[in-house]
Amino acid sequence: MKIVIFGANGKVGSVLVEQALAKGHTIVAYIREGTSVMKQHPKLKIIVGKLNESLKIADAVAGADACISSLGGKSLIRHAPEIVAGIDNIVTALEKQQVRRFIYLSSIGAGESQVMFPPLARFFITRLILRVPLADHNLNEGRIAASNLHWTIVRPTTLTNGRLSENLNHGIFKRRLPRNPVISRASLAAFMLKQVTDETYIHKCVWVYEKKD
């Protein structure tokens, strides 16, 4: 499959690229910086561009089977309007190019998933610590949900650099989170890649974290 990955230079995006190539996919990696640490690969095409370059984005997604966004802001106190506008540009390009499958990396605490936290933790996490990035995710989720794409929004818990695990809890129904739920970036990337061909969570917002041993 041909998969376009936005945010491919990030901590999750770089793992996505590595895993997707290992599975034999053809990857278009859209990065915002002029340099990349990604190794050359015959099935990897790197496009350097900004999120407001609509024509470049349209060219990147043309002919793709699926698109994944692992874009995320770098600050807890400043909004990322360029990413919010960028998601709108990406969704618009996907609709025009008739690329239906779209996987978006959000966060636990976005939308209705905030009720999965105990009341006190909910206040500190969603109203204080992550208030700004969650507000951006909520805007992006709203734009995606209003599209005609076959979208899946993935809401992980705290990310780690741990090993790949397939022993995951995931679902769409509200439930109380366990204490300190985490998921490694490797496990999250594998879960997101699986969604490209799995129709279980089409038009769904799915939470995910690793089961504790």
Side-chain angles (χ1 to χ4, degrees):
M1 298 183 71
K2 180 180 177 181
I3 304 173
V4 183
I5 299 177
F6 286 87
N9 244 8
K11 292 182 179 179
V12 175
S14 58
V15 181
L16 277 166
V17 171
E18 181 181 350
Q19 291 185 1
L21 290 173
K23 290 182 177 295
H25 296 298
T26 298
I27 301 301
V28 177
Y30 196 99
I31 62 175
R32 290 176 285 173
E33 292 80 15
T35 60
S36 173
V37 297
M38 287 182 283
K39 297 179 181 179
Q40 291 186 343
H41 190 283
K43 288 195 172 184
L44 173 63
K45 178 182 179 181
I46 299 174
I47 297 179
V48 179
K50 297 179 181 179
L51 295 175
N52 62 358
E53 296 184 84
S54 299
L55 293 179
K56 190 171 286 188
I57 290 173
D59 181 63
V61 303
D65 298 294
C67 176
I68 300 176
S69 169
S70 61
L71 294 165
K74 297 181 180 179
S75 173
L76 294 178
I77 60 175
R78 294 185 180 87
H79 288 283
E82 72 283 358
I83 294 180
V84 174
I87 291 297
D88 179 50
N89 291 334
I90 292 168
V91 170
T92 299
L94 292 172
E95 290 177 322
K96 288 182 178 180
Q97 296 292 333
Q98 298 186 3
V99 179
R100 295 300 180 206
R101 196 69 178 107
F102 184 43
I103 317 298
Y104 173 76
L105 176 58
S106 183
S107 172
I108 196 72
E112 75 287 350
S113 70
Q114 64 179 289
V115 302
M116 296 174 67
F117 292 102
L120 187 59
R122 185 187 316 162
F123 174 78
F124 280 103
I125 294 173
T126 67
R127 302 297 175 87
L128 294 178
I129 301 173
L130 297 181
R131 179 180 61 84
V132 170
L134 287 178
D136 288 349
H137 279 309
N138 287 336
L139 288 174
N140 293 336
E141 288 190 8
R143 173 65 180 95
I144 294 165
S147 73
N148 62 17
L149 303 178
H150 292 171
W151 54 266
T152 295
I153 291 170
V154 180
R155 294 169 173 168
T157 55
T158 302
L159 301 180
T160 74
N161 291 322
R163 296 180 302 175
L164 172 64
S165 173
E166 296 182 356
N167 193 24
L168 306 177
N169 276 318
H170 52 86
I172 60 174
F173 299 107
K174 294 186 285 291
R175 61 183 294 182
R176 187 59 55 86
L177 290 171
R179 186 176 181 180
N180 299 324
V182 300
I183 182 170
S184 72
R185 292 178 176 85
S187 301
L188 173 61
F191 180 80
M192 293 179 70
L193 278 176
K194 183 179 179 182
Q195 305 316 305
V196 170
T197 55
D198 191 329
E199 299 183 355
T200 303
Y201 293 123
I202 287 181
H203 295 156
K204 299 290 192 302
C205 300
V206 53
W207 45 260
V208 58
Y209 58 88
E210 291 177 0
K211 294 180 181 178
K212 296 184 178 181
D213 295 333

